[in-house]
Amino acid sequence: MPPQPTPYDTTLCVEELRAALAAHGITLPSLRVDLPSFAAEYRGPAGLIALGNCNTATARKLAEVLRKAAVR
């Protein structure tokens, strides 16, 4: 099982996703780290990104796909 992302990891992920979306002319003002996902006693997928509340791995995959599409 991979280690849970830290708030810093998740913040970097949000910035990667923001940059990848911007390369396609997309701005999402509400894109942010879902801080309550770090505060809960339940240790589910910590570090949710407030974009349909996807987890860090999903947000990173989305950013990667967007970056590759921008190169084309």
Side-chain angles (χ1 to χ4, degrees):
M1 181 175 189
Q4 292 290 329
T6 66
Y8 179 73
D9 294 330
T10 305
T11 299
L12 288 177
C13 182
V14 167
E15 293 309 314
E16 290 173 22
L17 185 54
R18 189 181 315 277
L21 289 167
H24 292 275
I26 300 168
T27 302
L28 298 175
S30 63
L31 181 62
R32 61 179 172 72
V33 174
D34 181 54
L35 293 177
S37 68
F38 289 101
E41 209 170 290
Y42 166 70
R43 296 312 306 171
L48 295 178
I49 308 299
L51 173 68
N53 286 336
C54 61
N55 62 31
T56 306
T58 301
R60 283 205 168 105
K61 286 179 185 177
L62 177 57
E64 180 183 353
V65 168
L66 288 168
R67 279 192 302 272
K68 286 180 180 178
V71 174
R72 293 181 190 170

